[in-house]
Amino acid sequence: LLTVHSEAKVPPVYQQHSTTQGAFNMMSLLKISTLFVLARLGGAFAPFSRPAFSTSQPTSSSSLHVESLRVGLVGGGTVGGGIVEIVAKNKAKFEGMTGKSLDICKVCVKDASKSRDFDLPHGCSIVTSFDEVLKDDSIDMVVEVMGGVTAAKDVVYQGLKEGKHVVTANKALIAAYLPEIEKLLTETNAKREKDGAEPVEFRYEAAVCGGIPIIRSMQSDFVGDDIDMVSGIINGCTNFMLTSMDRDGQTYDEALSKASELGYAEADPTLDVGGFDARSKLRILMRLAFGLEVNEDEISCRGITDLTKLDFEYAKMMGGTIKLLGVSKRVDENGKIAAFVSPCYVKTDDSLSSVNGATNAVEVISSNLVSSIYIGQGAGRYPTANSCVNDMVAVARGDETSACAFNPGSPDATFVNNYDSVFYLRLGYRDALGITRQCGEICEKHGVSIHSILQNPVTSRDDAAFVIITEKVPLASVKKVMADIETLDWCRGSAFFMPVLREDWV
């Protein structure tokens, strides 16, 4: 009112000096000013007229003509069902956040007659042909949660070519074809820019560690920082098994049986227990952290199949436990990056040591933030679906990562399959003279310094074993030591080794 009054020219007759008359004139002035405001605003405040706007949250796209973002969901299984449920539950909330209605219009499945454990949204249809999603010009976004690589690759590639945003949870696809996907995304958006069209987005938060928002953090939270190491428990099945072996004293077979019973292990658990699932995730994290392109087959990968109850006994003797970790780190100042997936010894007071069950954790060590740890559910219906939905909402809101979905590549980064670490060596043996002497001579030959030798009381000659803990030495030297020791008559079976995660392990 004061602002409007300052612009209005008030007649001199209202400018009185009497207190009583002044009060009357002030009231008159307010009335005039108020009428002036109403006149300026038009009919918005007229009696019995409809309000010009509502502060209530929209409940449907039709009521306020909210723009629809039409989604084609490819895969109607566990994760797909979770996506449908989360979107339905939060539809009004998402409209308020984005100004758009997330509408799942089609769900593409292999068998349309199969019963589903979720309710289809109103107007949504079940289809069995990818083209019914990909060739539908009304579909704005493709969400791929079918799994596998071959057919999923066709869906993702064609979706981008058709000018649709793509959200996927497919780590295997991204790890195998990251450069191709990046190239296709760049070419597609360059053509769209030339045609005056908006860029399409490629989002993949759920591909690494399910419900943990590690991808988005790596894209946005370390832009002014230098990452030195990324390490983590990035496979829930194996972490559940190792927890059972450590905490409950189970054998490998007992732990695998329990994991299968609870649904953590697949019918063929090779990708999990062999470390290959973790390696695919690590390969993606390496690109985000270091700008490094590397074929995942080049990354050293050792699973948990060779671990025994004896290893956990020795780990406890040392004051720690064993975790299957994916690790990538700088090894010098010239851009050399090493990486591996392997069981690792970690101290009891280590932050990763207490992450048990099927839970995942990722630690990022960097110059500015020092240590950042992300812990959460790495798999499952709702954790994975939640990450997919977050990506869908980000696209609807207009967040853009299309220019560098995988972070910029680094021309100075080079991959090396060697790194320095303290190592744990477990050697099975038969009774013989000179075992310690021979181990010492072989280690000396290859420049490996021994920190300590551990041996539990022998309860069975069939599984007698002792452990050597080295000082910090190159992986290549340890491999030579193990190869030489395995040729000796007293060495029984294959020798086992694993790195110690921290240098200050003692």
Side-chain angles (χ1 to χ4, degrees), residues 153 157 160 171-188 202 204 283-284 287 291-296 298 405-407 409:
K153 178 184 176 184
Y157 281 36
L160 291 173
K171 59 184 169 292
L173 173 66
I174 298 172
Y177 297 105
L178 192 155
E180 286 187 22
I181 296 171
E182 185 176 34
K183 181 181 178 182
L184 175 59
L185 184 63
T186 301
E187 291 175 349
T188 298
F202 178 78
Y204 56 101
R283 180 260 188 274
I284 298 171
R287 170 57 193 269
L292 178 65
E293 260 321 312
V294 58
N295 188 315
E296 67 174 306
E298 296 181 46
F406 301 102
N407 286 355

Side-chain angles (χ1 to χ4, degrees), residues 57 82-94 121 382:
Q57 201 173 49
I83 292 172
V84 172
E85 291 176 336
I86 293 174
V87 170
K89 180 180 178 182
N90 297 279
K91 190 169 182 60
K93 176 183 176 182
F94 294 159
Y382 296 111

Side-chain angles (χ1 to χ4, degrees), residues 333-407:
E333 299 299 323
N334 300 316
K336 291 182 179 179
I337 310 295
F340 60 87
V341 173
S342 173
C344 294
Y345 169 80
V346 293
K347 295 191 301 180
T348 301
D349 61 356
D350 193 289
S351 54
L352 296 178
S353 173
S354 60
V355 179
N356 294 316
T359 306
N360 282 195
V362 178
E363 180 180 24
V364 181
I365 295 177
S366 61
S367 298
N368 297 340
L369 299 181
V370 186
S371 175
S372 306
I373 302 175
Y374 306 79
I375 299 175
Q377 297 304 303
R381 183 185 187 95
Y382 296 111
T384 306
N386 188 76
S387 288
C388 290
V389 172
N390 287 347
D391 280 344
M392 294 163 65
V393 171
V395 172
R397 195 167 48 206
D399 297 350
E400 292 189 10
T401 63
S402 54
C404 51
F406 301 102
N407 286 355

Side-chain angles (χ1 to χ4, degrees), residues 290 292 329-337 410-416:
F290 304 111
L292 178 65
K329 58 184 179 180
R330 297 185 186 274
V331 296
D332 65 17
E333 299 299 323
N334 300 316
K336 291 182 179 179
I337 310 295
S410 173
D412 299 325
T414 56
F415 179 71
V416 292

Side-chain angles (χ1 to χ4, degrees), residues 65-312:
H65 305 290
V66 175
E67 179 184 349
S68 174
L69 186 69
R70 295 172 58 84
V71 178
L73 183 61
V74 181
T78 301
V79 177
I83 292 172
V84 172
E85 291 176 336
I86 293 174
V87 170
K89 180 180 178 182
N90 297 279
K91 190 169 182 60
K93 176 183 176 182
F94 294 159
E95 286 184 17
M97 293 173 62
T98 67
K100 297 180 181 178
S101 174
L102 277 179
D103 297 321
I104 298 177
C105 303
K106 293 181 179 180
V107 179
C108 184
V109 299
K110 186 176 182 180
D111 182 3
S113 64
K114 182 179 177 180
S115 61
R116 306 290 160 189
D117 60 356
F118 58 91
D119 295 327
L120 283 178
H122 178 71
C124 179
S125 59
I126 292 284
V127 300
T128 56
S129 170
F130 298 144
D131 282 349
E132 293 191 65
V133 172
L134 299 173
K135 297 297 184 180
D136 185 342
D137 292 338
S138 73
I139 298 292
D140 303 301
M141 181 191 302
V142 176
V143 180
E144 183 276 307
V145 287
M146 63 186 295
V149 173
T150 306
K153 178 184 176 184
D154 294 338
V155 168
V156 168
Y157 281 36
Q158 192 61 39
L160 291 173
K161 290 176 181 177
E162 294 290 339
K164 305 180 190 302
H165 304 293
V166 172
V167 172
T168 181
N170 199 323
K171 59 184 169 292
L173 173 66
I174 298 172
Y177 297 105
L178 192 155
E180 286 187 22
I181 296 171
E182 185 176 34
K183 181 181 178 182
L184 175 59
L185 184 63
T186 301
E187 291 175 349
T188 298
N189 282 331
K191 183 177 184 301
R192 291 179 65 80
E193 182 181 12
K194 186 177 179 181
D195 295 339
E198 293 293 322
V200 293
E201 287 286 311
F202 178 78
R203 297 273 181 159
Y204 56 101
E205 183 64 71
V208 178
C209 296
I212 301 177
I214 186 62
I215 300 297
R216 190 167 303 185
S217 182
M218 296 287 279
Q219 289 173 330
S220 61
D221 297 338
F222 296 89
V223 292
D225 207 347
D226 293 314
I227 296 176
D228 295 315
M229 183 170 82
V230 177
S231 63
I233 299 166
I234 50 182
N235 180 270
C237 171
T238 51
N239 199 47
F240 174 84
M241 291 177 62
L242 296 183
T243 299
S244 299
M245 294 174 72
D246 180 28
R247 189 173 57 194
D248 304 327
Q250 294 183 351
T251 64
Y252 171 85
D253 290 334
E254 290 170 341
L256 178 57
S257 177
K258 188 66 174 178
S260 299
E261 178 185 330
L262 295 175
Y264 295 133
E266 301 288 344
D268 179 2
T270 303
L271 291 177
D272 291 326
V273 300
F276 304 111
D277 174 81
R279 184 174 67 177
S280 294
K281 297 170 185 174
L282 181 64
R283 180 260 188 274
I284 298 171
L285 292 176
M286 288 173 65
R287 170 57 193 269
L288 291 167
F290 304 111
L292 178 65
E293 260 321 312
V294 58
N295 188 315
E296 67 174 306
D297 291 334
E298 296 181 46
I299 301 172
S300 173
C301 186
R302 178 193 288 268
I304 66 171
T305 54
D306 294 330
L307 282 172
T308 67
K309 291 174 65 176
L310 189 62
D311 293 312
F312 285 95

